[in-house]
Amino acid sequence: MERISRVLIDEEKIAKRVAELGKQIEQDYAGKCPVVVAILKGSIIFYGDLVRKINLPMRFDTMAVSSYGSGTVSSGNVKIKKDLSKDINGEDVLLIEDIIDSGNTMKALTALLEHRGAKSIKVCSFLDKPSRRTADFEADYVGYSIPDEFVIGYGLDYDEKYRNLPYVGVLEITD
Ligand code: IMP
Ligand code: MG
């Protein structure tokens, strides 16, 4: 059994913060043409809203990954389910993620892309749960830091559901 117990971040707040992030990224990448990578599937909604707030030339790409769970993190700890469509050697890469939890996925993925010769790698995550961190990883841009609660909506799922909700809600799961 599951139910949305409350709205954590409403549509208006999301739009305001996404616009701020876009402006900041636009300033930081001025004069560059970054490869902006959507980490599927959770970041799709955030990605679509964010890139439209960044007035810069850019290239789109996507990746789908899953982390092998906790434990020691190395570049071998990320399973690539769908890879980039083009080589990123020498490119400025900006990864767009839905949420950083343990940090394992992004720590492993950034290590892998560094190994492939990216010129720079930064991560922009819509949400962050810093209290859950086990890996030594921090995103360069974060929309909202949230407490340790399971959230859904604005791309985030529970069992592949709720991604299309326009707000972020807290999901209460009982059995
Ligand atoms: P981690 O940082 O390697 O632990 O993995 C982060 C991933 O876990 C995210 O990309 C989400 O797919 C998933 N995740 C973590 N917390 C939540 C949550 O509260 N709701 C939905 N998905 C979550
Ligand atoms: Mg995910």
Side-chain angles (χ1 to χ4, degrees), residues 6 18 26 29 31 36-37 48 50 78 85 105 108 110 124 129-130 140 145-146 155 168:
R6 65 178 202 283
V18 170
E26 187 178 302
Y29 284 84
V36 186
V37 180
L50 181 68
V78 66
S85 61
T105 312
T110 50
C124 174
K129 278 186 196 170
D140 301 276
S145 273
I146 63 167
V168 174

Side-chain angles (χ1 to χ4, degrees), residues 118-158:
K119 184 175 169 194
S120 71
I121 304 165
K122 282 188 178 183
V123 174
C124 174
S125 184
F126 174 54
L127 298 176
D128 186 14
K129 278 186 196 170
S131 64
R132 295 262 306 165
R133 203 73 91 255
T134 55
D136 175 23
F137 179 84
E138 294 306 325
D140 301 276
Y141 306 95
V142 169
Y144 286 97
S145 273
I146 63 167
D148 182 14
E149 289 181 292
F150 195 84
V151 292
I152 43 80
Y154 200 66
L156 291 110
D157 75 306
Y158 173 67

Side-chain angles (χ1 to χ4, degrees), residues 25-37:
I25 291 167
E26 187 178 302
Q27 286 170 14
D28 294 352
Y29 284 84
K32 297 179 176 163
C33 179
V35 179
V36 186
V37 180

Side-chain angles (χ1 to χ4, degrees), residues 39-42 65 97-99:
I39 307 301
L40 303 175
K41 294 174 268 194
V65 297
E97 175 63 308
D98 55 356
I99 185 166

Side-chain angles (χ1 to χ4, degrees), residues 4-139:
I4 299 168
S5 59
R6 65 178 202 283
V7 174
L8 190 63
I9 313 169
D10 65 26
E11 278 188 77
E12 208 179 311
K13 272 177 99 176
I14 292 173
K16 188 168 169 278
R17 186 68 188 124
V18 170
E20 288 171 1
L21 285 172
K23 272 283 146 292
Q24 201 186 329
I25 291 167
E26 187 178 302
Q27 286 170 14
D28 294 352
Y29 284 84
K32 297 179 176 163
C33 179
V35 179
V36 186
V37 180
I39 307 301
L40 303 175
K41 294 174 268 194
S43 80
I44 302 181
I45 310 280
F46 176 48
Y47 186 96
D49 284 346
L50 181 68
V51 293
R52 286 179 293 170
K53 297 292 176 188
I54 306 171
N55 185 20
L56 284 180
M58 63 173 70
R59 191 152 70 67
F60 280 21
D61 214 330
T62 62
M63 246 185 142
V65 297
S66 64
S67 138
Y68 283 129
S70 53
T72 320
V73 172
S74 72
S75 57
N77 276 38
V78 66
K79 183 179 172 192
I80 298 178
K81 295 192 277 189
K82 188 241 163 248
D83 210 337
L84 296 166
S85 61
K86 215 174 154 192
D87 189 15
I88 46 100
N89 185 27
E91 303 284 357
D92 292 303
V93 178
L94 178 62
L95 302 175
I96 310 298
E97 175 63 308
D98 55 356
I99 185 166
I100 314 281
D101 188 46
S102 70
N104 287 321
T105 312
M106 280 303 111
K107 172 138 188 174
L109 185 58
T110 50
L112 173 72
L113 298 183
E114 210 166 293
H115 182 75
R116 288 187 185 175
K119 184 175 169 194
S120 71
I121 304 165
K122 282 188 178 183
V123 174
C124 174
S125 184
F126 174 54
L127 298 176
D128 186 14
K129 278 186 196 170
S131 64
R132 295 262 306 165
R133 203 73 91 255
T134 55
D136 175 23
F137 179 84
E138 294 306 325

